[in-house]
Amino acid sequence: MIGITALVPAEVIYSCGEAALDLNNFVPTSKLEPEDKLCAWTAIWRELVLRGEVSIDRLVVVAGGDCYNALVEGEKIELAGKPTHYFTYPFDGNAGAMKEQLEALADFLGGIRDEAFGEVAELKKLALEVHEMRCSGEVGAEQGFLIEVSGSDLMGSLEKYRSAIEEVEETEVDYEYRVALLGIPPIYPDFHAFLQELGMHVVFDEMPFEFIRHTGKSLGEVAGSYAGYTFAGHISRRLRFLESQLKRHRVDAVIHFQQFACHHKLEDRLLRDFLHEKLGYPYITIEADLPSPTPQQARLRLEAFAERLGEVV
Amino acid sequence: MLIGLDVGSRAAKAAYRLEDGYEYRVVSSHSWEDLLRGREGVVISTGYFRKRVPHDFNVTEITTAIYGVRHFIRRRVDVIVDIGGQDMKVIDVERNDFVMNDKCSAGTGAFLEYIASYFALDVAELARLHRSARCAAPINSTCSVFAQSEVVSRLVEGYTKEEVIRGIHYAFARKIARMVPRHARSVALIGGTAKNAGVVEALSEVLGVRVHVPGEPQVVNAVGAVEYYLAREGER
Ligand code: SF4
């Protein structure tokens, strides 16, 4: 089992005959209180691996273009004896450089054996269909989020992911506002359900949407697609992408979710200036630290946000 | 009748909407039931306990503050500072957001009560002493425990009780000012503490802007609950 820490192209991992496990998925429900911590995500998965509570054979850390806290935690795991590979996104979105990264990743995993590109691409296409249903209010945000966020590791098994998609239930979502959740996925496991209670239907989860959007039927195609991973590139590219997605998803308001001690926090001002001041979207920032159910203060702020949306939307 | 019921951590307040305006009542928060006794009508609740008390509608104290201030102060304010018994909220009306301090007593009503009790005074007397001070004793701390030891040091150094209280009000105002966004040109202060003219004066001076205090600062949220309901009803 290959542990990954956010978006490492699963197409390559499965094509090397391995399975992926996104360590982040264990964090929101973890009770662990890690020592020596900046961001709770990286500190918790580091502890889970070091203590053997999550078992992996090797680790691939997204080390460049996305998260430097992860890089250091990866080094700790490597020094403790686990084979670790450092994966870097090209900041300029260069597809050639991306392809070199994918080749290095494949080398680390022992080379491409049985190509799974086609099947993963097909699964992601199905996940995108679930996403469209969520947009049209036929799938709840909680369920849609689970399918999309699981696009990073495909639930550790392609069959498992396929059945999860097949089991998605169609409903009629009752909502007042269409909301985009930008930034880091919420570390509060009940976050989507809570927003739903407030009549806010999350139609766009920025990072999870990236997890299912990038794929390809060959190594070259995969490289070209992941080179456009907006979270790891220049902010201007990300802002342009968000502008078009918010429009396409007919979003009424934006929630920016950020994490204590994460450098992405510094982007809040840029996002707010562009999305709120320039484009006029109602905007709220929620900052979290340790995993827990959505705390009272955040609930109060979101509830007030929903009340005021009634005036502006 | 429309009843705005604001049940907070220390006090419960009601605003009863009558034909020619509002009638108010304030009791301790444990006695909130007294506010509904013998009154029939639509109850719109707000405050910490808004979901725990009987209500027809409930609305957050952030929204009620905005509507309440609009009712009392008929001009635009950028920021509302709501000093409660155990928390303090700074509402950025323009940006539709707020920050809140509920982790320690600094900047809350509890801090001033603590200081008042040290001098064996009632909080209502603090403003009078503030007025008669010639200068403000230098106080930096807004943590209740550290502030008290600073208070003792200043008294030992020879500052009068009045000067120390004035100093406390400035320290309190600086703590709040740190949470007020820089773009604020006009600020409204609400909550029971806004009756303390010493705090209002210190806050205006520290912020360098006019601080508006509604006629009945303690019941702004109760009135705001009714005003929000009326605005919403009007839309329907
Ligand atoms: S929240 Fe930020 S610091 Fe934490 S893992 Fe994600 S990118 Fe890294």
Side-chain angles (χ1 to χ4, degrees), chain B residues 187-205:
Chain B
V187 171
L189 184 64
I190 65 171
T193 304
K195 287 189 193 152
N196 180 334
V199 169
V200 179
E201 182 195 302
L203 189 62
S204 318
E205 209 181 299

Side-chain angles (χ1 to χ4, degrees), chain A residues 57 79 96 137 154 159 172 209 255 261 263 270-272 292 294:
Chain A
D57 306 310
L79 292 178
L154 307 160
E159 294 73 55
E172 203 174 306
F209 183 62
I255 299 172
H263 76 281
L270 300 170
L271 288 174
R272 183 183 280 275
S292 70
T294 309

Side-chain angles (χ1 to χ4, degrees), chain A residues 177 272-273 276-277 282-285 297 300-301 303-305 307-312, chain B residues 50-51 58-63 66-67 70 89 93 95-98 100 102 228 232:
Chain A
Y177 310 112
R272 183 183 280 275
D273 282 353
H276 176 67
E277 306 290 348
Y283 184 104
I284 189 172
T285 309
Q297 197 185 114
L300 179 62
R301 295 187 59 218
E303 205 174 329
F305 185 64
E307 285 166 358
R308 307 260 350 256
L309 278 183
E311 290 170 32
V312 286
Chain B
R50 69 184 179 284
K51 290 180 184 163
N58 76 84
V59 53
T60 63
E61 53 270 39
I62 316 305
T63 302
I66 292 169
Y67 277 81
R70 234 180 247 162
K89 301 186 193 74
V93 179
R95 288 199 164 176
N96 189 16
D97 199 6
F98 72 97
M100 164 173 189
D102 64 355
Y228 176 74
R232 276 309 167 90

Side-chain angles (χ1 to χ4, degrees), chain B residues 34-230:
Chain B
D34 294 353
L35 298 174
L36 296 182
R37 198 155 294 137
R39 308 268 187 168
E40 291 276 313
V42 177
V43 176
I44 308 105
S45 65
T46 185
Y48 268 150
F49 293 100
R50 69 184 179 284
K51 290 180 184 163
R52 294 263 165 270
V53 298
H55 59 269
D56 298 284
F57 298 95
N58 76 84
V59 53
T60 63
E61 53 270 39
I62 316 305
T63 302
T64 56
I66 292 169
Y67 277 81
V69 165
R70 234 180 247 162
H71 172 82
F72 282 103
I73 303 171
R74 298 192 178 276
R75 69 175 77 206
R76 188 193 137 90
V77 298
D78 300 326
V79 166
I80 300 169
V81 178
D82 183 353
I83 303 176
Q86 287 185 348
D87 68 8
M88 187 250 301
K89 301 186 193 74
V90 175
I91 303 167
D92 187 334
V93 179
E94 203 195 327
R95 288 199 164 176
N96 189 16
D97 199 6
F98 72 97
V99 286
M100 164 173 189
N101 167 25
D102 64 355
K103 297 231 161 58
C104 79
S105 69
T108 74
F111 172 74
L112 294 177
E113 272 178 35
Y114 184 77
I115 297 295
S117 76
Y118 171 77
F119 287 108
L121 293 166
D122 190 273
V123 260
E125 293 173 279
L126 293 175
R128 182 174 51 80
L129 276 81
H130 175 109
R131 240 187 339 267
S132 54
R134 276 185 310 174
C135 68
I139 304 270
N140 292 317
S141 210
T142 44
C143 157
S144 307
V145 179
F146 290 135
Q148 186 176 338
S149 75
E150 253 191 287
V151 163
V152 176
S153 307
R154 295 296 98 86
L155 292 170
V156 171
E157 286 160 21
Y159 286 98
T160 65
K161 178 162 77 174
E162 287 79 2
E163 289 162 351
V164 167
I165 284 169
R166 199 178 171 107
I168 282 286
H169 285 159
Y170 275 89
F172 186 79
R174 282 194 298 273
K175 166 79 194 174
I176 293 169
R178 261 176 253 139
M179 291 170 71
V180 173
R182 292 215 190 111
H183 67 80
R185 293 282 158 269
S186 53
V187 171
L189 184 64
I190 65 171
T193 304
K195 287 189 193 152
N196 180 334
V199 169
V200 179
E201 182 195 302
L203 189 62
S204 318
E205 209 181 299
V206 172
L207 287 173
V209 302
R210 175 134 182 245
V211 173
H212 303 276
V213 179
E216 300 285 343
Q218 216 181 349
V219 296
V220 169
N221 287 333
V223 171
V226 175
E227 292 292 319
Y228 176 74
Y229 173 81
L230 289 170

Side-chain angles (χ1 to χ4, degrees), chain A residues 40 43 49 86 93 104 113 125 128 155 171 179 193 202 204 232 234 245 275 279 283 304:
Chain A
V49 173
Y86 300 87
R113 270 166 271 170
K125 201 169 150 230
L128 277 172
M155 296 182 162
T171 52
V179 173
V202 181
F204 180 67
H234 194 284
Q245 292 302 323
L275 300 174
L279 302 181
Y283 184 104

Side-chain angles (χ1 to χ4, degrees), chain A residues 19-300:
Chain A
L21 194 63
D22 190 340
L23 299 177
N24 291 302
N25 293 345
F26 296 91
V27 173
T29 49
S30 170
K31 296 267 179 303
L32 214 138
E33 285 188 20
E35 286 172 14
D36 191 18
K37 105 174 218 315
L38 283 176
C39 160
W41 288 97
T42 59
I44 290 177
W45 59 244
R46 173 248 297 157
E47 278 303 295
L48 289 171
V49 173
L50 289 181
R51 294 182 191 189
E53 288 181 33
V54 172
S55 123
I56 55 169
D57 306 310
R58 283 176 281 175
L59 175 67
V60 180
V61 175
V62 179
D66 192 351
C67 178
Y68 293 92
N69 288 352
L71 184 147
V72 180
E73 304 292 16
E75 288 171 331
K76 287 185 195 161
I77 291 175
E78 183 182 8
L79 292 178
K82 192 117 349 221
T84 298
H85 178 76
Y86 300 87
F87 185 81
T88 299
Y89 281 96
F91 183 66
D92 60 0
N94 182 295
M98 189 78 253
K99 189 149 178 261
E100 281 170 25
Q101 281 293 319
L102 297 186
E103 284 161 356
L105 171 64
D107 284 347
F108 172 72
L109 299 173
I112 291 181
R113 270 166 271 170
D114 38 359
E115 292 208 354
F117 295 113
E119 188 176 358
V120 175
E122 186 219 327
L123 286 173
K124 289 200 173 176
K125 201 169 150 230
L126 294 176
L128 277 172
E129 283 169 18
V130 174
H131 176 81
E132 290 308 322
M133 289 171 74
R134 175 187 185 183
C135 290
S136 49
E138 294 159 283
V139 165
E142 212 180 354
Q143 219 178 7
F145 170 73
L146 179 71
I147 294 296
E148 293 180 34
V149 85
S150 304
S152 66
D153 63 358
L154 307 160
M155 296 182 162
S157 130
L158 302 187
E159 294 73 55
K160 198 166 161 205
Y161 192 54
R162 186 183 293 278
S163 9
I165 292 177
E166 280 164 4
E167 280 160 23
V168 167
E169 276 170 34
E170 207 178 315
T171 52
E172 203 174 306
V173 185
D174 188 23
Y175 66 88
E176 267 179 89
Y177 310 112
R178 301 169 67 84
V179 173
L181 192 51
L182 309 186
I184 310 297
I187 201 164
Y188 306 139
D190 61 349
F191 199 69
H192 287 82
F194 174 66
L195 293 179
Q196 195 70 64
E197 273 173 41
L198 299 179
M200 295 198 269
H201 179 42
V202 181
V203 289
F204 180 67
D205 274 293
E206 183 187 9
M207 264 182 95
F209 183 62
E210 292 285 72
F211 293 179
I212 57 167
R213 181 170 81 97
H214 299 292
T215 192
K217 295 206 176 78
S218 66
L219 196 73
E221 265 185 47
V222 170
S225 177
Y226 279 80
Y229 176 39
T230 55
F231 215 68
H234 194 284
I235 188 81
S236 303
R237 185 177 67 166
R238 183 170 160 212
L239 294 179
R240 276 197 309 275
F241 177 71
L242 289 177
E243 180 177 12
S244 70
Q245 292 302 323
L246 298 191
K247 207 187 261 172
R248 186 172 87 76
H249 287 82
R250 290 177 288 116
V251 157
D252 298 316
V254 167
I255 299 172
H256 182 211
F257 203 98
Q258 63 185 28
Q259 194 65 29
F260 170 74
C262 168
H263 76 281
H264 286 293
K265 260 179 78 159
L266 297 172
E267 293 161 348
D268 185 56
R269 176 62 64 82
L270 300 170
L271 288 174
R272 183 183 280 275
D273 282 353
F274 182 66
L275 300 174
H276 176 67
E277 306 290 348
K278 185 153 179 259
L279 302 181
Y281 288 101
Y283 184 104
I284 189 172
T285 309
I286 299 291
E287 181 173 329
D289 186 9
L290 290 168
S292 70
T294 309
Q296 282 309 321
Q297 197 185 114
R299 284 172 178 258
L300 179 62

